Amino acid sequence: EDKVVQSPLSLVVHEGDTVTLNCSYEVTNFRSLLWYKQEKKAPTFLFMLTSSGIEKKSGRLSSILDKKELFSILNITATQTGDSAVYLCAVECWDDKIIFGKGTRLHILP
Amino acid sequence: EAGVTQFPSHSVIEKGQTVTLRCDPISGHDNLYWYRRVMGKEIKFLLHFVKESKQDESGMPNNRFLAERTGGTYSTLKVQPAELEDSGVYFCASSLRGGSYNSPLHFGNGTRLTVT
């Protein structure tokens, strides 16, 4: 059965710390890996990764994919309280199906 | 542009009753998806519309769930009769083309359904 596993499930750090969120997957027809940030309501799109080893960056956030080892990491440097959210990892398959992980709940202490 | 809107934001019903959730996708988005998150578990796919046609409804849990998208615009998801295990947050998402590979999914804020 296709699955996406995120770790840790929950993380509490202080402002200014750097965090790394993990996502591993087992799917039969992988097309891309997606990261979303969910604050109070709708998940918002962060990154789409399709190729191994190419880092995507957006401000303090960056992400990379390893298609050989079947995982991705999301890094957030110099964290701020506004980074507190649930970070969702999802894998998109070639039949347009998207499989989500349970998410990592990140809480940044001031 | 206006985002994906869902109505209601929260619904509390009794077991055995009927509830209808509505989703208005972003204008011009042919692809509309329904997802559900049950407490403590991951977001799971329910079904995918391309315009008014059901492209994939493999995630629908059982025949108590009925989704429609008349005219290829807004969509409704009806649960009849509701059971306790139907409680969760129902998300709708839309995209311009199929899958995030071509265009990212835009999510609505979700409808929190509580069945008591």
Side-chain angles (χ1 to χ4, degrees):
Chain A
E1 184 185 337
D2 293 341
K3 62 180 179 181
V4 175
V5 178
Q6 292 187 247
S7 65
L9 289 179
S10 181
L11 189 56
V12 180
V13 300
H14 288 280
E15 221 173 5
D17 288 346
T18 292
V19 297
T20 298
L21 311 183
N22 303 293
C23 175
S24 64
Y25 61 91
E26 290 178 30
V27 299
T28 50
N29 55 347
F30 174 93
R31 183 157 83 177
S32 63
L33 187 140
L34 312 164
W35 284 98
Y36 286 86
K37 177 183 181 182
Q38 184 180 14
E39 294 176 85
K40 294 216 164 116
K41 300 227 172 159
T44 54
F45 176 78
L46 293 175
F47 296 113
M48 182 178 74
L49 302 151
T50 55
S51 302
S52 280
I54 298 174
E55 186 182 52
K56 293 266 181 117
K57 278 183 76 78
S58 177
R60 296 174 294 101
L61 276 66
S62 64
S63 184
I64 198 159
L65 172 67
D66 185 329
K67 289 169 76 173
K68 185 180 172 191
E69 300 297 329
L70 308 182
F71 78 90
S72 173
I73 59 171
L74 176 69
N75 272 327
I76 308 175
T77 58
T79 52
Q80 302 170 358
T81 54
D83 296 328
S84 295
V86 174
Y87 289 83
L88 297 166
C89 173
V91 169
E92 182 177 34
C93 304
W94 280 102
D95 58 1
D96 291 345
K97 199 160 291 181
I98 299 180
I99 304 152
F100 283 86
K102 290 187 179 182
T104 293
R105 184 173 295 277
L106 176 64
H107 185 63
I108 310 295
L109 299 170
Chain B
E1 75 184 350
V4 176
T5 55
Q6 292 186 245
F7 180 84
S9 56
H10 194 177
S11 179
V12 181
I13 60 172
E14 290 184 338
K15 176 182 169 180
Q17 291 183 326
T18 297
V19 63
T20 300
L21 315 181
R22 173 171 170 142
C23 169
D24 285 78
I26 292 172
S27 178
H29 280 195
D30 287 343
N31 291 272
L32 186 149
Y33 304 80
W34 282 99
Y35 292 90
R36 175 173 74 171
R37 183 168 189 148
V38 172
M39 190 159 59
K41 300 201 172 177
E42 63 273 22
I43 297 174
K44 284 204 166 172
F45 168 81
L46 295 178
L47 89 158
H48 170 202
F49 282 100
V50 177
K51 297 186 180 176
E52 67 275 8
S53 300
K54 289 176 186 171
Q55 179 81 4
D56 181 353
E57 53 183 329
S58 61
M60 295 287 262
N62 51 60
N63 59 9
R64 295 185 293 102
F65 288 75
L66 175 64
E68 292 179 324
R69 192 182 181 196
T70 309
T73 54
Y74 70 91
S75 174
T76 57
L77 179 65
K78 183 194 287 190
V79 185
Q80 178 183 32
E83 297 289 342
L84 298 178
E85 65 264 24
D86 301 332
S87 296
V89 180
Y90 290 77
F91 287 102
C92 174
S94 72
S95 69
L96 191 59
R97 288 178 289 277
S100 290
Y101 195 80
N102 295 309
S103 58
L105 282 180
H106 296 264
F107 280 86
N109 285 334
T111 293
R112 180 174 294 278
L113 175 64
T114 304
V115 182
T116 63

